[in-house]
Amino acid sequence: MEVAAFTLVWIGLALYALLAGADFGVGLWVLFASFTRREEEIRKAAFGYFGPVWEVNGLFLVFFIVGLMAAFPSALALLSRALIGLVLFALVMFVVRSCAYALLHHGPERYHPVARWTFGISSVLAGLGLGYAAVAPSSGFIRGDALDPGFYTSALALTALPLTLMGSAHLAAVVIAAYAHARERGEVATEWLRRKALVAGAAMLPLTVLFTISLVTEVDYIRDQISSLRVLPMVAGGAAILLGMWSLLRRRYASASLLIFAGYFAGLMGGAFLMYPYMVYPELTISEGAAPDASLLFYLVITAVGLPLLIAAMVALYNMTLGPERAQSERLREPAEG
Amino acid sequence: MSDLLAGRAQMGISLGFHIVFASLGVGLPALICMAHFVGLKRGDEVWMRLAERLTRAFTVLVVIGVVSGIIISVELSLLWPDFMERAGPIIGVPISVETYAFFFEAIFLALYLFGRDRLSPWAHWATLIPVCLGGAASAWIIVSVNSWMNTPVGFDYVNGEFKNPDLVQAVFNPAMPGQTLHMVGGAYVATGFACAAVYAITMLRGRRGLYERRGLAVGMTLAAFWIVPLGVGGDLAGRLVNENQPAKLAAMEGVPKTEKGAPLTIGGITGRDGETKYGIEIPYGLSLLAARDPDAVIKGLEEIREDDRPPVVPVRYAFQLMLWIGNLLILAVTGYWLARWKRPRWLEGRALLCLIAAAGPLSFLAIEAGWVVTEVGRQPWIIYGLRRTSQSLTESGLVGLMFVVFTLLYVGMSIVTVIALRSELDLLPKRARHSSSSEAAST
Ligand code: HDD
Ligand code: HEM
Ligand code: HEM
């Protein structure tokens, strides 16, 4: 039962990492675009994508935390104690970024330039903070209740940072390009982002190799696991990403973004697979961290009912706001007044 | 400032900030839903404009509301890891139900905002219903978690651990009915008054068109409808406090000594020991109110060990403040509807409008005061009678810094909210370009 609950909680985390990762990447591209002549178009496409979805995306973090609370309270407490600094940093950046977004979207124009910079910089920093925090549980640097400061300068952490950054840039570029393409938001933005997505995707390859090397050299447990069949999900994820890149090369945007998302998802799930049975290596295993059975059962039942409904509603939302325009306008009966 | 105080103060500031947006998040969809409904039904442009304007305010408030909620969900475990570890299996499950309520609220809100031109008019309106239900449901659930902290049940307490959780019993804890009804009622009433107050102020400034009068009316309708459940809930909450948390009741009412047939003391100056001077005493009042029996015995602070007592002074004054405001709100609702039915001239004058204008901010003050009663009145316990707040604080040295940084962030968030609201609401003519969806521009 705890394994089922763990899977669900981890799915929440992986979805958060992907969706919010892409959102942080949006900030990166907005920042990047301000050095180019195409700034206006790219920004429009980027915020057109970001606007309707970021709030829902952010809630996956709450889903994950609350899942830990219900099903793995000791893990939540352990991580809260060990990672308080990193999580606080990311949280502060997240708040700053949201305020900047509120000003950009709802505030008067004279604040927009400052807000744009703030949005970009805080996005990148929040992503980095979370990237740091995310590798800590598998690093072996959490000992007792605390994070060994050696972690910050370990090869593992230092290779994870560029990986996180590039991964979110990659995801963001793919989805914004797909969005801009589907919505006919300008060929210029689409093409610009497509190129960037290809570059970022290509850069992921050496970064992944470096990260894997440091993982294997620094974490004994992973070294023992990585040669087993347990790496299969990760390998499958990598293959999906490669296929997605191929689709992107051929300008098949929808399948490219699906494949690339699926690939990263499989990679993240595969990470948990490699770590099994540990949640926080070497301090806590899944069964040590689990809540009493009554709570696990309730959590599973609630999630079994709620998650499918949630996903259906999300698909409806994404379809309406991000999908191709034409399909929508056919269904449109009469335009609302006002 | 000690770390404990910093942690408690940070919790108080965070929740005190969040509750403003949360209450509006419960109430505003209901107002929008009402105005939009009448507008569609009658094909009336003015009502539609009202719905649209309320929606635009809501879109700004939601951004900040969501951010403040996410802060709290992270902060709770960062500050009180011990509390989460022990109580997580019990409160985590209802909170995960709440997550779904949030999700549906957020998704349907996005559908409402971005679906204007893509859904049929009634389907578009109908997306508001899950938004309303989601807001009310999340308020109900999170308050039931809070009421569990006040009246913890549904487990065996063994050596500081909560064993064998019974979640159904935990959610339906003794304090739940009063607190949830009262809070949900408070959210609707306060939002109703906030909306009415905005238009009352506009009217006081001389703009008295159909639009303003309807804005006033829709707010006062919501407030009038919910003020009765609010009162019933408050009375129930008070009786349940008397049953389950005698220390809190003694602090609220200023009862130093155990008494049979205790009087109700209104106003006055209360000391640390609960002794109140210069108040108006209503004989048997407290026993009647709190236990429905003029001869009921009310426990005084003397029976509670010194280090188990809550700080009496803030609890007592906050409670009095809430009561005074509650009565003022009843007066305002009654005045408005009397004016509508029998005394139309009252609406021409300034007195009633001034009262309503004041009632807007005051009703939020009442919510804050009510939470001070609930939370400070529970001290020194984080889980009443079982775990102390001081046992639960994180050992991290960052608490003080965290308090300072987050206090600054809240100041920043308040400024951003004000700037964004003003710009969102003042730029009405530029709507097409600056609409709540950047989408609408190019569709
Ligand atoms: C519009 C706001 C508002 C108004 C006018 C009132 N209250 Fe209230 N009160 C709240 C908003 C509120 C609240 C913020 O919603 C609280 C905090 C915790 C809770 O569940 O509700 C609360 C708490 C609260 C509690 C403590 C519950 C507990 O700790 O378990 C009691 C006993 C009352 N209220 C009683 C009353 C009475 C008898 C009122 C009659 C005039 C009243 N309140 C008016
Ligand atoms: C939104 C309305 C709320 C407000 C304004 C509020 C206010 C406060 C205040 C003022 C304190 C500090 C009390 C003191 O230490 O003297 C506090 C503490 C706390 N509150 Fe609340 N609260 C609210 C709702 C909740 C809810 C719904 C929960 C539970 C999920 C909760 C959990 C806590 C915890 C864990 C603490 C710290 C421990 C303690 O002081 O007992 N609060 N809150
Ligand atoms: C009495 C206390 C509380 C009430 C009545 C309440 C109610 C609400 C409501 C109605 C919303 C929607 C607001 C909006 O859409 O603008 C909301 C948002 C949120 N709340 Fe609270 N809340 C309370 C305390 C808490 C606590 C203790 C937590 C942390 C566990 C929390 C976490 C959140 C989150 C994450 C959101 C954003 C979700 C969203 O609306 O999309 N809230 N809350």
Side-chain angles (χ1 to χ4, degrees):
Chain A
M1 198 144 62
E2 56 261 25
V3 176
F6 177 74
T7 312
L8 288 173
V9 172
W10 194 266
I11 288 178
L13 179 65
L15 285 178
Y16 176 71
L18 290 180
L19 296 169
D23 289 354
F24 293 129
V26 169
L28 190 81
W29 292 122
V30 167
L31 208 58
F32 197 92
S34 55
F35 298 109
T36 71
R37 279 178 302 128
R38 300 293 177 201
E39 186 184 356
E40 191 71 28
E41 287 135 11
I42 291 151
R43 210 167 54 220
K44 261 214 187 107
F47 283 118
Y49 160 77
F50 183 77
V53 298
W54 73 276
E55 183 191 343
V56 178
N57 294 352
L59 286 182
F60 274 100
L61 178 64
V62 181
F63 183 86
F64 166 67
I65 292 180
V66 165
L68 280 182
M69 196 190 286
F72 299 96
S74 334
L76 179 63
L78 173 59
L79 293 177
S80 297
R81 289 179 177 122
L83 301 180
I84 182 168
L86 283 172
V87 174
L88 272 180
F89 174 77
L91 188 62
V92 170
M93 288 305 140
F94 171 80
V95 174
V96 170
R97 182 180 79 133
S98 308
C99 286
Y101 176 72
L103 278 183
L104 265 179
H105 202 62
H106 302 284
E109 232 143 88
R110 77 194 123 104
Y111 294 116
H112 286 191
V114 181
R116 208 141 49 217
W117 279 94
T118 315
F119 179 84
I121 294 171
S122 52
S123 290
V124 173
L125 291 177
L128 286 179
L130 287 179
Y132 242 134
V135 287
S138 53
S139 68
F141 278 95
I142 295 181
R143 307 228 172 92
D145 263 355
L147 180 65
D148 183 332
F151 169 73
Y152 294 99
T153 49
S154 67
L156 185 61
L158 293 180
T159 49
L161 286 188
L163 191 75
T164 315
L165 206 59
M166 197 53 77
S168 46
H170 186 201
L171 280 169
V174 173
V175 291
I176 306 170
Y179 164 81
H181 177 72
R183 282 271 143 133
E184 288 156 27
R185 278 297 155 77
E187 275 310 299
V188 182
T190 311
E191 192 51 33
W192 191 86
L193 283 157
R194 188 181 78 100
R195 297 230 169 108
K196 298 293 176 289
L198 288 171
V199 174
M204 282 302 281
L205 209 60
L207 290 175
T208 312
V209 172
L210 279 179
F211 178 70
T212 314
I213 293 174
S214 51
L215 199 60
V216 173
T217 46
E218 282 192 12
V219 189
D220 303 341
Y221 187 70
I222 302 273
R223 183 168 50 230
D224 299 340
Q225 301 303 326
I226 208 155
S227 50
S228 73
L229 283 179
R230 288 205 200 174
V231 292
L232 273 184
M234 279 208 166
V235 174
I241 296 178
L242 283 178
L243 273 177
M245 297 292 284
W246 174 246
S247 303
L248 195 60
L249 259 177
R250 302 178 51 198
R251 298 201 166 74
R252 301 245 170 90
Y253 292 97
S255 56
S257 44
L258 275 183
L259 278 167
I260 291 175
F261 257 89
Y264 279 102
F265 184 74
L268 289 168
M269 295 307 286
F273 213 59
L274 276 182
M275 286 275 290
Y276 183 86
Y278 289 103
M279 282 188 95
V280 179
Y281 175 78
E283 286 295 325
L284 198 69
T285 62
I286 293 177
S287 53
E288 284 165 0
D293 281 353
S295 308
L296 288 177
L297 186 65
F298 261 88
Y299 178 71
L300 286 176
V301 170
I302 286 161
T303 317
V305 177
L307 200 61
L309 281 174
L310 173 70
I311 289 178
M314 270 182 82
V315 170
L317 170 69
Y318 285 24
N319 216 356
M320 189 173 87
T321 55
L322 306 180
E325 209 123 39
R326 188 144 344 106
Q328 312 294 339
S329 44
E330 272 164 14
R331 260 190 281 138
L332 183 83
R333 297 224 307 275
E334 52 188 300
E337 53 184 312
Chain B
M1 195 188 319
S2 73
D3 272 2
L4 180 59
L5 198 59
R8 287 166 54 189
Q10 186 181 349
M11 220 48 223
I13 293 177
S14 304
L15 283 152
F17 187 87
H18 181 66
I19 196 66
V20 173
F21 295 86
S23 302
L24 290 166
V26 174
L28 268 174
L31 284 178
I32 298 168
C33 198
M34 284 156 67
H36 193 151
F37 180 82
V38 181
L40 269 182
K41 191 98 190 151
R42 301 193 189 151
D44 185 323
E45 187 56 29
V46 178
W47 281 110
M48 293 302 272
R49 195 147 60 87
L50 189 64
E52 200 178 295
R53 227 173 133 78
L54 288 169
T55 306
R56 301 179 71 196
F58 189 38
T59 55
V60 175
L61 296 167
V62 164
V63 175
I64 306 293
V66 170
V67 176
S68 67
I70 292 179
I71 296 179
I72 295 171
S73 63
V74 179
E75 203 174 61
L76 268 176
S77 34
L78 288 184
L79 278 172
W80 320 100
D82 173 85
F83 169 58
M84 279 305 152
E85 186 160 14
R86 288 164 204 271
I90 296 173
I91 65 173
V93 176
I95 299 184
S96 38
V97 178
E98 196 204 6
T99 332
Y100 289 107
F102 287 156
F103 264 120
F104 285 107
E105 189 192 353
I107 291 174
F108 278 93
L109 180 64
L111 286 172
Y112 180 71
L113 294 179
F114 294 91
R116 227 174 52 130
D117 305 325
R118 300 188 190 115
L119 296 167
S120 75
W122 280 107
H124 178 221
W125 173 80
T127 55
L128 278 171
I129 293 173
V131 181
C132 292
L133 294 179
S138 54
W140 189 88
I141 296 167
I142 196 75
V143 174
S144 77
V145 168
N146 181 268
S147 67
W148 179 85
M149 293 163 63
N150 287 328
T151 52
V153 290
F155 50 81
D156 302 325
Y157 191 65
V158 193
N159 296 333
E161 291 194 35
F162 297 83
K163 298 272 189 207
N164 305 325
D166 175 347
L167 296 172
V168 176
Q169 202 191 350
V171 169
F172 292 89
N173 57 71
M176 185 277 281
Q179 271 196 260
T180 49
L181 180 64
H182 192 52
M183 175 69 232
V184 174
Y188 283 119
V189 168
T191 313
F193 270 108
C195 169
V198 169
Y199 292 103
I201 292 170
T202 326
M203 287 169 75
L204 282 169
R205 286 187 182 157
R207 286 232 309 266
R208 297 184 174 226
L210 191 59
Y211 176 76
E212 284 76 19
R213 276 181 287 141
R214 284 183 174 168
L216 187 65
V218 74
M220 293 307 285
T221 307
L222 189 68
F225 187 81
W226 279 97
I227 199 146
V228 179
L230 173 70
V232 172
D235 172 61
L236 184 60
R239 278 185 287 141
L240 292 171
V241 170
N242 177 43
E243 266 173 45
N244 303 305
Q245 305 179 75
K248 188 187 275 182
L249 191 88
M252 277 155 56
E253 302 287 0
V255 187
K257 298 205 167 56
T258 302
E259 234 176 307
K260 188 164 173 257
L264 182 70
T265 315
I266 301 174
I269 297 173
T270 305
R272 278 184 165 176
D273 52 0
E275 205 74 63
T276 302
K277 287 187 203 134
Y278 317 116
I280 306 165
E281 284 201 1
I282 303 176
Y284 304 106
L286 182 56
S287 289
L288 261 175
L289 268 183
R292 293 288 187 273
D293 170 7
D295 293 324
V297 177
I298 302 292
K299 261 196 195 170
L301 287 164
E302 62 177 2
E303 286 198 36
I304 290 139
R305 270 183 35 200
E306 194 109 22
D307 56 357
D308 287 351
R309 288 182 200 168
V312 174
V313 178
V315 175
R316 163 85 183 155
Y317 284 125
F319 187 59
Q320 288 284 313
L321 183 64
M322 176 165 65
L323 293 187
W324 285 105
I325 296 174
N327 288 312
L328 201 74
L329 298 186
I330 295 175
L331 193 69
V333 167
T334 321
Y336 175 80
W337 287 104
L338 255 179
R340 284 292 296 268
W341 278 320
K342 301 265 186 225
R343 298 274 188 282
R345 260 198 290 136
W346 288 2
L347 278 173
E348 319 270 301
R350 298 186 68 84
L352 182 59
L353 289 179
C354 282
L355 178 62
I356 294 175
L362 285 179
S363 52
F364 280 89
L365 192 61
I367 291 187
E368 302 284 351
W371 280 104
V372 170
V373 174
T374 304
E375 302 286 306
V376 181
R378 187 182 58 240
Q379 302 305 314
W381 306 102
I382 190 165
I383 302 174
Y384 187 69
L386 299 178
R387 302 286 305 170
R388 281 170 197 273
T389 311
S390 54
Q391 292 171 310
S392 304
L393 187 72
T394 176
E395 273 139 34
S396 159
L398 290 171
V399 177
L401 176 70
M402 196 171 158
F403 172 68
V404 174
V405 171
F406 276 87
T407 306
L408 291 176
L409 281 180
Y410 282 115
V411 173
M413 283 160 75
S414 312
I415 296 173
V416 167
T417 313
V418 172
I419 294 176
L421 267 181
R422 286 182 53 162
S423 127
E424 192 57 51
L425 295 180
D426 287 345
L427 286 173
L428 205 58
K430 293 189 194 160
R431 153 114 211 144
R433 194 171 54 79
H434 215 87
S435 83
S436 51
S437 65
S438 59
E439 294 279 281
S442 34
T443 38

